[in-house]
Amino acid sequence: MGPDIIVLHAGYVSEKLNLRHRPRFDLLELFAFLCPGQAITPTVSGLAIACGLSPSDDPEDQAMLVIEIMDSLFSRLSQEKKDQFLPLLNFMNGQNNGWAWAPYLIRSMGAHPTGYSLSDITDWKERLSVWEDTPPPPPPAHHAVSEDEAETHLNQWLSERSSNGDHNSEDRPQQKHYTKQLTKAFQPIGSDGLPRIVLAEAGTGIGKTLGYLNPAWLWAEKNKDRIWLSTYTKNLQRQLEQELDGLIPTQEDGQDTVVIRKGRENYLCLLNLEDSLRTAHTAVQTQKRTASGIMLRWMLATDDGDFTGQSFPGWLISILSPAETIGLADRRGECIYAACDHYKNCLIEKARRKSENARLVISNHALTMIQAAIASPGTQLPSRYIFDEGHHLFDAADSAFAANLTALEVMELKRWVLGSESGRKTRARGLRKRLEGLFEDDSIMEKALSETIRGAHRLPGYDMLSILRSQKAPAQGITQLQAGERFFLAVKSQVQNRINQKEGSYGLYALEAECYPLQDDVIDTAKDFEDILRELRRPLKTICDRLLDKYRDEDGQEEPDKALMARYDAMINTIERRSDMMLTGWITMLAQLQEGKRAESFIDWFGIDRIEGQDHDIGYYRRWPDPMQPFAAALGSHAQAMAVTSATLRDTQDEASGWDTAMEQTGAQHFNAHLHSFHTPSPFDYANQSRIFIVNDVRKDNPLSVAKAYAKLMLASGGGALGIFTAIQRLRQFYPTIRDMLAEADIPLYAQHVDPMDTGTLIDLFRAQENSCLLGTDAVRDGVDVPGGSLRLLLFERVPWPRPTILHKARREQFGGRSYDERMTRLKLKQAYGRLIRRRDDKGVFVMMDPMLPTRLLDAFPQGVEIVKAPLEEVIASTKDFLK
């Protein structure tokens, strides 16, 4: 095959066919340029549907469809768009040495490729809307939402949907019960001042999403208040917005009623995009021109610039590369706010301001927690929250309130201070650049900034990565290394010695060791490293104090400059996070190491993070034994009500012990509050819609046998199978055997950690093709929502016991020993099984390949479903018979 064939997803095709040259004509690139922001499944059929053509599953028909799709896309370049497209296409063409499609698109408009100037494509700045400041909303009222109101309003919504032809708007008693019970979270706070907490477990299929949106909207409307709806996955954020489409007005008094809020690392930074275009202008690599041009097209088409939103196709990341797509976000806190030329057009600022006056704000667990934890006095925080996907709250809090003193984190701090001065080729803006215009004629601040920069130069640099990743510490010159570098090498040495493995014989993935007792070199280097961090924190705090003084001075003016005050506020917050939270936490950790005794309030360990057998990072890690304690402290100071909901809050059907798990995992036990908990069962007939099998004659320690068993079961179901693995290494080990066996039956196989595509795209492909199969790990288990025949078989290769890490060992002691392991495992099984049946007409088979599944874990599955232990051949026959 030559490089000039037309393909879909050139990178994927190149890898699958082992091509020497990557095909230049990628139909997905063409679609992304001509139809930016339009969501599709990245297949020939998906493109055909988007172009108004009839899809086909026949390979020969699909080959012809490729030509029809290309013609359809070219026809969209009308003469009216010539002035808009030609400058950008000439830029991407790059004197006939750029994007392969560019010269053909130019000629299709009756023009010829010409030279270009970078100024020819700068008109995009003039096409962006400008955000405006709005006054803060008035204080909300406190009128209760009654059960009757909630039921009446839900009936109204369902009637409106039914009249619009929505077949999912049927009358469901379970949904009405659920929405009425949720009103307990929408009552005014009582005379005792205690908040209200509702734990709501809702079985799959009851219409949970609309069930809680209903009383939330009623409260927001009656009281002119904000409700924060927090989720764990981006898919649910999009679903919430879609659920409300057509049911509530999109705007009230000129303000959006529903706004999605995410961390700034999820949004396109316009200054980064401008830098990318400037770099591509002089770049030799064709891919940079292609990526910057397509990203510019997407930016002009998107409403929000959200990389995890509905308008951004996930497959674009693997086609253009992460650096040229999501890498254009502000992921490192380098924003210069009002000093930026694009500040008034900033997509992040637009989202933030919209949310201040919205009725419903759709956030995510991490942002919700961090916002509550770092809020300064006087900040107007939400008074009511709904946490969907509540079974993920514990993990989200564990990440949000963690402290990681790692080599990469410290190097990132150095880059944050120095920017492009850090010695790397980067467009990063350092602290001096971000403070421009805020410290002129302030000698104290200038001195503090100079001291901060000098202190940052003493932190480990990026050349340290090669030392950290080498199998041995350098035999010579270690005394010339920075104190931080010596500390991390000492940590590495302790981990290596404790796990008692020889150089070069480590596993592929993370290694860890207890901190205590400490090696002498760790104690010695910790003191020097602590001194450096203290010296860095001191001038940062001075800068923060000076900025705060300037903010107060400006605030006292008769007509304060709001943009300037917003910039002061943003810089104060970002510096405080690094000086008061990050640096103070690291200094405390290093000081405790020197005391030589364990910190009783935390779980500490040393670890080497490894990717594909190579050291990636080294660090000193700290976690709360129960992260729901800081979660409760962050929200408890201001939240008047909180509802936590999920299909899997309880690990068993037992009313007593099951709710104990829910209290533990949601943090409800740490609130002094009025608590209400309830369970609404699923309307599905699981006993007749599903089967559960445990294969008892395949040895799980024989990879080839298990892989063949997987493939035979997938063949028996005719595809539509999701294979879940508890380890990436085993997934990759099984993949070739399963792939080859399915290929003989023309059943497509996709695999997380194997195929060069993001997880969301893999799930989209799996959902769109009823005969395909997908292999994945935890992220797939928790993120799949595939109703219908595309998911009819779910395979588990072994019991998903928690990994025996240092963190898990401590948590096990904290939460009940063996019973904790069993609770966590039951929840994983329950969550996985819940992926299988999503509609009343679904049928599905759940197969556990591990014969050692304990009977006491079977309570994870719905009552009434028969659970059969049988040999593989019998399970194959039963699966084929049930799904036919």
Side-chain angles (χ1 to χ4, degrees), residues 277 626 695 749 787 845:
L277 289 165
D626 183 358
V695 177
L749 178 65
V845 173

Side-chain angles (χ1 to χ4, degrees), residues 120-136:
D120 293 339
I121 59 171
T122 57
D123 66 327
W124 59 272
K125 303 175 187 178
E126 302 167 6
R127 289 189 258 167
L128 299 176
S129 60
V130 176
W131 55 260
E132 296 180 358
D133 276 318
T134 57

Side-chain angles (χ1 to χ4, degrees), residues 209 212 231 233-241 388-389:
T209 305
Y212 67 70
T231 74
T233 60
K234 63 183 181 182
N235 288 335
L236 185 55
Q237 284 188 300
R238 292 200 298 261
Q239 181 184 328
L240 291 178
E241 190 178 34
D388 199 349
E389 300 178 300

Side-chain angles (χ1 to χ4, degrees), residues 48 60 86 116 204 450 519 529 586 600 603 708-709 746 768 812 838:
E60 291 187 10
L86 276 179
Y116 70 93
T204 304
S450 298
Q519 290 184 177
F529 194 20
W586 291 350
E600 296 297 330
I603 304 166
K708 287 183 176 179
D746 291 327
R812 193 176 190 270
R838 311 297 290 177

Side-chain angles (χ1 to χ4, degrees), residues 4 10 12 22 126 239 250 285 337 385 407 481 518 570 616 621 640 745 772 797 806 837:
D4 290 339
Y12 179 77
R22 175 175 170 148
E126 302 167 6
Q239 181 184 328
T250 56
Q285 301 96 326
Y337 299 96
Y385 298 87
L481 296 176
L518 288 162
H616 176 67
Y621 300 89
Q640 297 181 12
S772 67
E797 137 261 7
I806 292 172
I837 306 298

Side-chain angles (χ1 to χ4, degrees), residues 469 471 506-510 608-617 728-733 752-754:
R469 291 170 181 173
Q471 287 297 331
Y506 308 115
L508 291 174
Y509 303 106
I608 302 175
D609 185 21
R610 294 170 65 78
I611 297 177
E612 301 298 331
Q614 183 183 51
D615 293 350
H616 176 67
D617 197 8
I728 298 172
Q729 186 177 2
R730 284 199 296 276
L731 185 156
R732 289 173 170 164
Q733 185 180 20
Q752 186 190 20
H753 308 295
V754 175

Side-chain angles (χ1 to χ4, degrees), residues 52-306:
L53 303 171
S54 298
S56 173
D57 294 327
D58 181 86
E60 291 187 10
D61 290 344
Q62 288 193 343
M64 298 307 298
L65 263 177
V66 167
I67 305 302
E68 293 183 53
I69 291 167
M70 183 180 66
D71 290 342
S72 174
L73 291 174
F74 267 68
S75 69
R76 301 185 180 210
L77 282 174
S78 62
Q79 290 298 314
E80 290 77 19
K81 296 180 179 178
K82 187 174 181 179
D83 293 340
Q84 175 185 339
F85 279 97
L86 276 179
L88 181 55
L89 283 172
N90 277 314
F91 165 79
M92 295 174 71
N93 184 45
Q95 305 293 345
N96 293 315
N97 190 33
W99 188 36
W101 290 106
Y104 297 95
L105 290 170
I106 293 170
R107 292 189 182 97
S108 74
M109 292 187 290
H112 295 282
T114 63
Y116 70 93
S117 168
L118 190 60
S119 61
D120 293 339
I121 59 171
T122 57
D123 66 327
W124 59 272
K125 303 175 187 178
E126 302 167 6
R127 289 189 258 167
L128 299 176
S129 60
V130 176
W131 55 260
E132 296 180 358
D133 276 318
T134 57
H142 300 277
H143 303 299
V145 175
S146 70
E147 292 187 6
D148 288 343
E149 282 180 300
E151 182 175 8
T152 299
H153 191 258
L154 178 64
N155 288 335
Q156 179 184 335
W157 271 5
L158 295 175
S159 176
E160 290 176 13
R161 284 197 158 186
S162 180
S163 63
N164 292 327
D166 188 340
H167 299 297
N168 293 318
S169 59
E170 73 270 14
D171 187 357
R172 286 175 276 193
Q174 295 91 344
Q175 187 179 45
K176 291 182 178 179
H177 172 264
Y178 176 84
T179 201
K180 288 161 69 174
Q181 291 294 310
L182 251 293
T183 60
K184 300 288 193 302
F186 297 101
Q187 308 298 315
I189 198 164
S191 57
D192 56 11
L194 297 180
R196 302 178 186 277
I197 295 180
V198 176
L199 303 183
E201 185 174 77
T204 304
I206 71 161
K208 168 172 60 77
T209 305
L210 207 62
Y212 67 70
L213 287 174
N214 175 53
W217 175 250
L218 277 174
W219 173 273
E221 271 294 272
K222 287 182 72 172
N223 298 293
K224 306 304 178 188
D225 195 7
R226 277 189 306 166
I227 305 291
W228 270 55
L229 311 171
S230 187
T231 74
Y232 190 70
T233 60
K234 63 183 181 182
N235 288 335
L236 185 55
Q237 284 188 300
R238 292 200 298 261
Q239 181 184 328
L240 291 178
E241 190 178 34
Q242 292 165 0
E243 287 276 8
L244 291 165
D245 186 29
L247 294 179
I248 66 173
T250 56
Q251 286 199 333
E252 282 188 354
D253 299 325
Q255 303 293 332
D256 289 359
T257 53
V258 181
V259 173
I260 292 180
R261 271 296 308 279
K262 301 175 184 177
R264 61 187 310 113
E265 70 277 1
N266 292 286
Y267 296 92
L268 173 70
C269 168
L270 298 178
L271 188 55
N272 283 348
L273 175 63
E274 185 175 47
D275 287 348
S276 174
L277 289 165
R278 190 178 297 111
T279 301
H281 169 60
T282 57
V284 175
Q285 301 96 326
T286 298
Q287 191 65 10
K288 283 193 174 291
R289 290 182 180 275
T290 303
S292 59
I294 290 176
M295 290 305 297
L296 176 57
R297 288 280 296 139
W298 174 73
M299 184 276 294
L300 291 171
T302 180
D303 292 328
D304 51 21
D306 181 0

Side-chain angles (χ1 to χ4, degrees), residues 474-542:
Q476 298 177 346
I478 192 168
T479 56
Q480 279 72 49
L481 296 176
Q482 300 281 17
E485 295 166 337
R486 295 198 302 273
F487 171 76
F488 288 120
L489 285 174
V491 167
K492 178 177 181 177
S493 171
Q494 176 164 323
V495 174
Q496 290 173 336
N497 291 336
R498 293 286 161 81
I499 61 175
N500 196 28
Q501 290 185 325
K502 296 180 180 180
E503 297 290 352
S505 66
Y506 308 115
L508 291 174
Y509 303 106
L511 307 172
E512 60 182 31
E514 297 275 3
C515 294
Y516 303 97
L518 288 162
Q519 290 184 177
D520 291 341
D521 56 350
V522 175
I523 299 175
D524 295 340
T525 56
K527 177 65 174 74
D528 293 339
F529 194 20
E530 180 196 346
D531 290 343
I532 288 176
L533 296 181
R534 285 187 183 277
E535 284 301 305
L536 179 61
R537 182 182 61 172
R538 183 181 52 77
L540 274 175
K541 291 182 70 68
T542 299

